[in-house]
Amino acid sequence: MTRIHALWAFVLLSLLLGAPAMAQPVFPPGLRIGLEPPPGMVASKQFTGFEDPERKAAILVLDLPAPAYNEVEGSLFAKQAGAENVTRRAFPFSDGIALLATADVKENGVAVHKWFFVATTVAGPVPNLTAFVTVEVPDKARSVYTDAVVEKALKSITFRRPPVEEQLSLLPYKVGDRGGFHVRQVLPNGVVILSENPTGNPFGQAYVVVSVSNGGPSQQGDRSLFAQDLLRSAPVRELAITSGESMRINGSPGNELRATGKDASNAPITLVQWLRFGTGGFMRIIGVSPTAEWDSMFPRFRAVRDGIGGK
């Protein structure tokens, strides 16, 4: 057999037998940040990240907007009460360069070593992202979770595009009909932002914001004034409420307000706010459109409203 034939035979055999499995990053549900957790750590059901319950070691992952980077970085350079053996350095990882800080602290009388990883993106396939990852390892587990083991996991940190459908599945409500709008952002506090176009400033075009909050008036007579106060707090210039009424929304007591105003660029806008009241809380749906597009946008706003249901 010639050398070339032997090479092809080896390649064919490798394909038939299968190559060794490569470790893959694990992404906590809904997050754009993933990593290869160290052996012994599994996805946590208590917080966003990974943990070794037996050894009480943990990796906490925060997916933050890009502007949060300066605040997080500043906190890592500020003097921390009770922290000892503090170090800070640039840290290369899978998708760029991060800042890595470490420190020894005591928590409830237990000596713990911590790693703080922070990195950001401002462009590319995953823009507007600050990754803040904290690793906590009790001194008793340092023989298992050594510097080398932890830093290997941190070096594997990588980013993915927002997993929109996965994020929507985590909401306390179901978004059905989206009225032809594009999902622009899903926030962990139950907020969904939809816009007419998939790109550009979402607040410079027709858009919808859906949110849920605790509280709200329990008496029907108080809800109209509550809705007006809530709408007047919106960042709209020259806001003028043009109509309002109580109504049933998907079988629940609700309120509708319509208004006009101007956006941040002083362009005329028309908007609608719906509140849907439930036990101990309420849902707020706001649709905002350039005034010239209002007649075509309002039925789509209403489709979004009617398409939101419980799980």
Side-chain angles (χ1 to χ4, degrees), residues 28-62:
L31 265 61
R32 297 172 291 174
I33 305 161
L35 57 84
E36 298 167 18
M41 283 203 180
V42 296
S44 175
K45 297 180 181 180
Q46 308 300 320
F47 54 85
T48 306
F50 308 89
E51 64 178 335
D52 179 340
E54 181 181 348
R55 297 184 177 90
K56 303 188 184 306
I59 299 177
L60 296 86
V61 183
L62 290 181

mmCIF file of all heavy atoms in Angstrom, residues 28-62:
data_model
loop_
_atom_site.group_PDB
_atom_site.id
_atom_site.type_symbol
_atom_site.label_atom_id
_atom_site.label_comp_id
_atom_site.label_asym_id
_atom_site.label_seq_id
_atom_site.Cartn_x
_atom_site.Cartn_y
_atom_site.Cartn_z
ATOM 1 N N PRO A 28 -26.338 28.393 30.112
ATOM 2 C CA PRO A 28 -27.513 28.434 30.997
ATOM 3 C C PRO A 28 -28.728 28.913 30.220
ATOM 4 O O PRO A 28 -28.597 29.722 29.293
ATOM 5 C CB PRO A 28 -27.094 29.443 32.080
ATOM 6 C CG PRO A 28 -25.595 29.375 32.091
ATOM 7 C CD PRO A 28 -25.205 29.177 30.652
ATOM 8 N N PRO A 29 -29.916 28.428 30.544
ATOM 9 C CA PRO A 29 -31.118 28.759 29.774
ATOM 10 C C PRO A 29 -31.304 30.257 29.565
ATOM 11 O O PRO A 29 -31.276 31.046 30.508
ATOM 12 C CB PRO A 29 -32.256 28.185 30.636
ATOM 13 C CG PRO A 29 -31.610 27.067 31.379
ATOM 14 C CD PRO A 29 -30.219 27.534 31.667
ATOM 15 N N GLY A 30 -31.445 30.645 28.292
ATOM 16 C CA GLY A 30 -31.735 32.024 27.942
ATOM 17 C C GLY A 30 -30.535 32.932 27.857
ATOM 18 O O GLY A 30 -30.657 34.071 27.392
ATOM 19 N N LEU A 31 -29.357 32.498 28.273
ATOM 20 C CA LEU A 31 -28.187 33.371 28.301
ATOM 21 C C LEU A 31 -27.388 33.290 27.009
ATOM 22 O O LEU A 31 -27.390 32.282 26.312
ATOM 23 C CB LEU A 31 -27.269 33.020 29.486
ATOM 24 C CG LEU A 31 -27.498 33.858 30.746
ATOM 25 C CD1 LEU A 31 -28.901 33.667 31.269
ATOM 26 C CD2 LEU A 31 -26.471 33.509 31.807
ATOM 27 N N ARG A 32 -26.665 34.382 26.737
ATOM 28 C CA ARG A 32 -25.775 34.414 25.582
ATOM 29 C C ARG A 32 -24.367 33.954 25.937
ATOM 30 O O ARG A 32 -23.500 33.903 25.078
ATOM 31 C CB ARG A 32 -25.715 35.851 25.032
ATOM 32 C CG ARG A 32 -27.041 36.390 24.512
ATOM 33 C CD ARG A 32 -26.964 37.856 24.157
ATOM 34 N NE ARG A 32 -26.814 38.689 25.348
ATOM 35 C CZ ARG A 32 -26.599 40.003 25.308
ATOM 36 N NH1 ARG A 32 -26.481 40.615 24.144
ATOM 37 N NH2 ARG A 32 -26.495 40.699 26.427
ATOM 38 N N ILE A 33 -24.140 33.624 27.189
ATOM 39 C CA ILE A 33 -22.811 33.278 27.685
ATOM 40 C C ILE A 33 -22.781 31.798 28.054
ATOM 41 O O ILE A 33 -23.639 31.317 28.789
ATOM 42 C CB ILE A 33 -22.463 34.123 28.926
ATOM 43 C CG1 ILE A 33 -22.609 35.617 28.626
ATOM 44 C CG2 ILE A 33 -21.052 33.799 29.423
ATOM 45 C CD1 ILE A 33 -22.730 36.468 29.861
ATOM 46 N N GLY A 34 -21.772 31.100 27.547
ATOM 47 C CA GLY A 34 -21.621 29.697 27.888
ATOM 48 C C GLY A 34 -20.177 29.367 28.180
ATOM 49 O O GLY A 34 -19.267 30.132 27.862
ATOM 50 N N LEU A 35 -19.940 28.222 28.810
ATOM 51 C CA LEU A 35 -18.583 27.769 29.099
ATOM 52 C C LEU A 35 -18.594 26.259 29.297
ATOM 53 O O LEU A 35 -19.648 25.640 29.383
ATOM 54 C CB LEU A 35 -18.019 28.483 30.332
ATOM 55 C CG LEU A 35 -18.803 28.384 31.654
ATOM 56 C CD1 LEU A 35 -18.458 27.108 32.412
ATOM 57 C CD2 LEU A 35 -18.484 29.581 32.545
ATOM 58 N N GLU A 36 -17.399 25.693 29.348
ATOM 59 C CA GLU A 36 -17.253 24.275 29.637
ATOM 60 C C GLU A 36 -17.023 24.144 31.145
ATOM 61 O O GLU A 36 -15.931 24.427 31.637
ATOM 62 C CB GLU A 36 -16.081 23.702 28.858
ATOM 63 C CG GLU A 36 -16.245 23.783 27.346
ATOM 64 C CD GLU A 36 -14.962 23.495 26.602
ATOM 65 O OE1 GLU A 36 -14.031 22.905 27.220
ATOM 66 O OE2 GLU A 36 -14.859 23.867 25.420
ATOM 67 N N PRO A 37 -18.041 23.750 31.891
ATOM 68 C CA PRO A 37 -17.889 23.691 33.353
ATOM 69 C C PRO A 37 -16.858 22.640 33.756
ATOM 70 O O PRO A 37 -16.703 21.627 33.074
ATOM 71 C CB PRO A 37 -19.282 23.328 33.845
ATOM 72 C CG PRO A 37 -19.941 22.671 32.674
ATOM 73 C CD PRO A 37 -19.374 23.325 31.456
ATOM 74 N N PRO A 38 -16.154 22.859 34.843
ATOM 75 C CA PRO A 38 -15.186 21.871 35.315
ATOM 76 C C PRO A 38 -15.873 20.553 35.675
ATOM 77 O O PRO A 38 -17.052 20.540 36.034
ATOM 78 C CB PRO A 38 -14.590 22.536 36.562
ATOM 79 C CG PRO A 38 -14.937 23.972 36.465
ATOM 80 C CD PRO A 38 -16.222 24.041 35.710
ATOM 81 N N PRO A 39 -15.156 19.445 35.583
ATOM 82 C CA PRO A 39 -15.721 18.167 36.021
ATOM 83 C C PRO A 39 -16.209 18.274 37.461
ATOM 84 O O PRO A 39 -15.532 18.838 38.322
ATOM 85 C CB PRO A 39 -14.532 17.205 35.915
ATOM 86 C CG PRO A 39 -13.635 17.813 34.890
ATOM 87 C CD PRO A 39 -13.773 19.296 35.064
ATOM 88 N N GLY A 40 -17.409 17.769 37.697
ATOM 89 C CA GLY A 40 -17.983 17.843 39.035
ATOM 90 C C GLY A 40 -19.031 18.919 39.173
ATOM 91 O O GLY A 40 -19.812 18.911 40.134
ATOM 92 N N MET A 41 -19.087 19.863 38.216
ATOM 93 C CA MET A 41 -20.091 20.916 38.275
ATOM 94 C C MET A 41 -21.204 20.641 37.280
ATOM 95 O O MET A 41 -20.954 20.188 36.161
ATOM 96 C CB MET A 41 -19.467 22.285 38.000
ATOM 97 C CG MET A 41 -18.692 22.856 39.161
ATOM 98 S SD MET A 41 -18.558 24.653 39.052
ATOM 99 C CE MET A 41 -17.611 24.998 40.538
ATOM 100 N N VAL A 42 -22.426 20.936 37.694
ATOM 101 C CA VAL A 42 -23.602 20.738 36.848
ATOM 102 C C VAL A 42 -24.417 22.032 36.836
ATOM 103 O O VAL A 42 -24.215 22.920 37.681
ATOM 104 C CB VAL A 42 -24.474 19.580 37.369
ATOM 105 C CG1 VAL A 42 -23.725 18.265 37.296
ATOM 106 C CG2 VAL A 42 -24.944 19.858 38.807
ATOM 107 N N ALA A 43 -25.312 22.143 35.868
ATOM 108 C CA ALA A 43 -26.176 23.322 35.804
ATOM 109 C C ALA A 43 -26.984 23.443 37.086
ATOM 110 O O ALA A 43 -27.553 22.466 37.569
ATOM 111 C CB ALA A 43 -27.099 23.226 34.597
ATOM 112 N N SER A 44 -27.022 24.639 37.629
ATOM 113 C CA SER A 44 -27.725 24.861 38.889
ATOM 114 C C SER A 44 -29.210 25.085 38.657
ATOM 115 O O SER A 44 -29.617 25.706 37.675
ATOM 116 C CB SER A 44 -27.136 26.081 39.606
ATOM 117 O OG SER A 44 -27.890 26.381 40.766
ATOM 118 N N LYS A 45 -30.022 24.590 39.584
ATOM 119 C CA LYS A 45 -31.449 24.860 39.574
ATOM 120 C C LYS A 45 -31.814 25.999 40.521
ATOM 121 O O LYS A 45 -32.971 26.401 40.606
ATOM 122 C CB LYS A 45 -32.223 23.594 39.974
ATOM 123 C CG LYS A 45 -32.044 22.440 38.991
ATOM 124 C CD LYS A 45 -32.832 21.218 39.433
ATOM 125 C CE LYS A 45 -32.648 20.046 38.462
ATOM 126 N NZ LYS A 45 -33.406 18.839 38.889
ATOM 127 N N GLN A 46 -30.803 26.516 41.224
ATOM 128 C CA GLN A 46 -31.026 27.571 42.212
ATOM 129 C C GLN A 46 -30.672 28.959 41.682
ATOM 130 O O GLN A 46 -31.203 29.959 42.150
ATOM 131 C CB GLN A 46 -30.189 27.289 43.475
ATOM 132 C CG GLN A 46 -30.378 25.893 44.046
ATOM 133 C CD GLN A 46 -31.808 25.615 44.452
ATOM 134 O OE1 GLN A 46 -32.488 26.479 44.998
ATOM 135 N NE2 GLN A 46 -32.287 24.405 44.168
ATOM 136 N N PHE A 47 -29.746 29.024 40.723
ATOM 137 C CA PHE A 47 -29.299 30.305 40.189
ATOM 138 C C PHE A 47 -28.799 30.077 38.768
ATOM 139 O O PHE A 47 -28.730 28.944 38.286
ATOM 140 C CB PHE A 47 -28.193 30.919 41.072
ATOM 141 C CG PHE A 47 -27.027 29.991 41.297
ATOM 142 C CD1 PHE A 47 -25.985 29.904 40.380
ATOM 143 C CD2 PHE A 47 -26.970 29.198 42.435
ATOM 144 C CE1 PHE A 47 -24.919 29.043 40.583
ATOM 145 C CE2 PHE A 47 -25.892 28.331 42.649
ATOM 146 C CZ PHE A 47 -24.866 28.257 41.712
ATOM 147 N N THR A 48 -28.443 31.154 38.080
ATOM 148 C CA THR A 48 -27.974 31.054 36.706
ATOM 149 C C THR A 48 -26.490 30.734 36.697
ATOM 150 O O THR A 48 -25.659 31.608 36.963
ATOM 151 C CB THR A 48 -28.233 32.361 35.942
ATOM 152 O OG1 THR A 48 -29.611 32.704 36.065
ATOM 153 C CG2 THR A 48 -27.875 32.210 34.476
ATOM 154 N N GLY A 49 -26.151 29.495 36.399
ATOM 155 C CA GLY A 49 -24.758 29.095 36.390
ATOM 156 C C GLY A 49 -24.607 27.616 36.690
ATOM 157 O O GLY A 49 -25.474 26.804 36.344
ATOM 158 N N PHE A 50 -23.516 27.268 37.365
ATOM 159 C CA PHE A 50 -23.173 25.873 37.617
ATOM 160 C C PHE A 50 -22.758 25.707 39.080
ATOM 161 O O PHE A 50 -22.319 26.667 39.723
ATOM 162 C CB PHE A 50 -22.038 25.441 36.691
ATOM 163 C CG PHE A 50 -22.296 25.741 35.244
ATOM 164 C CD1 PHE A 50 -21.914 26.960 34.697
ATOM 165 C CD2 PHE A 50 -22.944 24.831 34.432
ATOM 166 C CE1 PHE A 50 -22.165 27.268 33.354
ATOM 167 C CE2 PHE A 50 -23.207 25.115 33.101
ATOM 168 C CZ PHE A 50 -22.821 26.333 32.559
ATOM 169 N N GLU A 51 -22.887 24.482 39.583
ATOM 170 C CA GLU A 51 -22.529 24.276 40.976
ATOM 171 C C GLU A 51 -22.100 22.840 41.238
ATOM 172 O O GLU A 51 -22.439 21.913 40.485
ATOM 173 C CB GLU A 51 -23.696 24.632 41.888
ATOM 174 C CG GLU A 51 -24.921 23.744 41.714
ATOM 175 C CD GLU A 51 -26.033 24.101 42.687
ATOM 176 O OE1 GLU A 51 -25.739 24.665 43.758
ATOM 177 O OE2 GLU A 51 -27.204 23.796 42.372
ATOM 178 N N ASP A 52 -21.335 22.686 42.293
ATOM 179 C CA ASP A 52 -20.999 21.386 42.865
ATOM 180 C C ASP A 52 -21.592 21.407 44.266
ATOM 181 O O ASP A 52 -20.973 21.909 45.212
ATOM 182 C CB ASP A 52 -19.478 21.203 42.918
ATOM 183 C CG ASP A 52 -19.062 19.868 43.519
ATOM 184 O OD1 ASP A 52 -19.878 19.257 44.228
ATOM 185 O OD2 ASP A 52 -17.912 19.455 43.302
ATOM 186 N N PRO A 53 -22.828 20.914 44.423
ATOM 187 C CA PRO A 53 -23.508 21.040 45.716
ATOM 188 C C PRO A 53 -22.751 20.386 46.863
ATOM 189 O O PRO A 53 -22.781 20.878 47.986
ATOM 190 C CB PRO A 53 -24.853 20.344 45.471
ATOM 191 C CG PRO A 53 -25.038 20.349 43.989
ATOM 192 C CD PRO A 53 -23.668 20.247 43.412
ATOM 193 N N GLU A 54 -22.072 19.282 46.576
ATOM 194 C CA GLU A 54 -21.378 18.569 47.643
ATOM 195 C C GLU A 54 -20.228 19.399 48.200
ATOM 196 O O GLU A 54 -20.029 19.467 49.419
ATOM 197 C CB GLU A 54 -20.850 17.234 47.106
ATOM 198 C CG GLU A 54 -20.125 16.403 48.147
ATOM 199 C CD GLU A 54 -19.592 15.104 47.593
ATOM 200 O OE1 GLU A 54 -19.972 14.733 46.460
ATOM 201 O OE2 GLU A 54 -18.787 14.448 48.290
ATOM 202 N N ARG A 55 -19.472 20.045 47.311
ATOM 203 C CA ARG A 55 -18.310 20.824 47.754
ATOM 204 C C ARG A 55 -18.639 22.304 47.928
ATOM 205 O O ARG A 55 -17.785 23.099 48.290
ATOM 206 C CB ARG A 55 -17.167 20.653 46.762
ATOM 207 C CG ARG A 55 -16.658 19.207 46.658
ATOM 208 C CD ARG A 55 -15.457 19.116 45.732
ATOM 209 N NE ARG A 55 -14.928 17.767 45.690
ATOM 210 C CZ ARG A 55 -15.323 16.825 44.832
ATOM 211 N NH1 ARG A 55 -16.285 17.096 43.943
ATOM 212 N NH2 ARG A 55 -14.796 15.612 44.860
ATOM 213 N N LYS A 56 -19.897 22.684 47.607
ATOM 214 C CA LYS A 56 -20.373 24.065 47.757
ATOM 215 C C LYS A 56 -19.559 25.046 46.914
ATOM 216 O O LYS A 56 -19.324 26.193 47.321
ATOM 217 C CB LYS A 56 -20.374 24.488 49.229
ATOM 218 C CG LYS A 56 -21.218 23.579 50.124
ATOM 219 C CD LYS A 56 -21.360 24.131 51.518
ATOM 220 C CE LYS A 56 -22.117 23.173 52.425
ATOM 221 N NZ LYS A 56 -23.427 22.777 51.885
ATOM 222 N N ALA A 57 -19.125 24.586 45.743
ATOM 223 C CA ALA A 57 -18.449 25.443 44.782
ATOM 224 C C ALA A 57 -19.463 25.863 43.721
ATOM 225 O O ALA A 57 -20.405 25.121 43.418
ATOM 226 C CB ALA A 57 -17.274 24.713 44.142
ATOM 227 N N ALA A 58 -19.274 27.056 43.143
ATOM 228 C CA ALA A 58 -20.278 27.560 42.206
ATOM 229 C C ALA A 58 -19.656 28.490 41.174
ATOM 230 O O ALA A 58 -18.635 29.141 41.429
ATOM 231 C CB ALA A 58 -21.379 28.295 42.969
ATOM 232 N N ILE A 59 -20.308 28.540 40.022
ATOM 233 C CA ILE A 59 -19.995 29.512 38.973
ATOM 234 C C ILE A 59 -21.285 30.257 38.677
ATOM 235 O O ILE A 59 -22.275 29.654 38.245
ATOM 236 C CB ILE A 59 -19.471 28.838 37.697
ATOM 237 C CG1 ILE A 59 -18.180 28.059 37.976
ATOM 238 C CG2 ILE A 59 -19.229 29.885 36.609
ATOM 239 C CD1 ILE A 59 -17.649 27.300 36.772
ATOM 240 N N LEU A 60 -21.294 31.555 38.921
ATOM 241 C CA LEU A 60 -22.475 32.382 38.682
ATOM 242 C C LEU A 60 -22.251 33.197 37.413
ATOM 243 O O LEU A 60 -21.206 33.844 37.258
ATOM 244 C CB LEU A 60 -22.741 33.316 39.859
ATOM 245 C CG LEU A 60 -23.082 32.646 41.202
ATOM 246 C CD1 LEU A 60 -21.800 32.287 41.953
ATOM 247 C CD2 LEU A 60 -23.926 33.567 42.057
ATOM 248 N N VAL A 61 -23.229 33.180 36.507
ATOM 249 C CA VAL A 61 -23.099 33.829 35.210
ATOM 250 C C VAL A 61 -24.141 34.931 35.080
ATOM 251 O O VAL A 61 -25.343 34.677 35.243
ATOM 252 C CB VAL A 61 -23.267 32.813 34.062
ATOM 253 C CG1 VAL A 61 -23.061 33.496 32.714
ATOM 254 C CG2 VAL A 61 -22.288 31.643 34.228
ATOM 255 N N LEU A 62 -23.682 36.138 34.773
ATOM 256 C CA LEU A 62 -24.589 37.263 34.547
ATOM 257 C C LEU A 62 -24.426 37.757 33.112
ATOM 258 O O LEU A 62 -23.312 38.048 32.670
ATOM 259 C CB LEU A 62 -24.306 38.413 35.522
ATOM 260 C CG LEU A 62 -24.669 38.183 36.981
ATOM 261 C CD1 LEU A 62 -24.335 39.424 37.802
ATOM 262 C CD2 LEU A 62 -26.143 37.846 37.137
#
